[in-house]
Amino acid sequence: MLSHTLERGVLVITVHEDPGIGGRAALLTQVGDLVQGIRPSFVVIVLDEPAATEAAISVVLRVHRLCSHLDLVTFVATHSAPARRLLDANADTHGIRLVIHARAHTAIATATALTTAA
């Protein structure tokens, strides 16, 4: 369902498929465990095309809140314009802003550049 890499302090998590309503909790646990266990500088979540669903978006929004509480900037990348609009409309505005990109390489490059600059 997901894969991850660590690139120069940036945790890149790719969600490959729709977790469905029943899989949201498991996906949230997996991602939360990665974020808390690795303690990266930044987090990038990539939603592959089959994963750009309301269930996955719900998980991304919850991860964003978790990362915001940990003072981590969260980037998300998806080719799906409707998914990007949902993310933008529903992102928590009380913490650290969710950064949304259309392309994964742009999100990863931005996060790694910020890590290098810090």
Side-chain angles (χ1 to χ4, degrees):
M1 181 177 330
L2 71 81
S3 61
H4 73 281
T5 60
L6 189 63
E7 299 182 25
R8 293 184 287 196
V10 176
L11 176 61
V12 179
I13 300 168
T14 303
V15 181
H16 300 286
E17 57 192 49
D18 176 12
I21 299 296
R24 286 185 303 185
L27 180 60
L28 180 59
T29 299
Q30 286 179 304
V31 174
D33 288 350
L34 285 169
V35 169
Q36 292 179 333
I38 294 174
R39 294 290 184 154
S41 299
F42 297 95
V43 175
V44 176
I45 301 172
V46 179
L47 296 177
D48 282 348
E49 198 63 36
T53 64
E54 287 186 25
I57 290 167
S58 170
V59 171
V60 169
L61 293 171
R62 290 179 187 186
V63 169
H64 171 238
R65 282 193 293 276
L66 168 69
C67 289
S68 186
H69 289 299
L70 297 171
D71 291 325
L72 295 172
V73 176
T74 307
F75 296 78
V76 64
T78 179
H79 289 292
S80 170
R84 290 193 307 273
R85 285 191 294 273
L86 273 173
L87 287 162
D88 187 50
N90 294 294
D92 184 6
T93 58
H94 294 92
I96 297 173
R97 182 176 164 262
L98 178 65
V99 183
I100 304 167
H101 290 279
R103 291 177 171 62
H105 71 274
T106 304
I108 296 166
T110 303
T112 55
L114 290 173
T115 298
T116 304

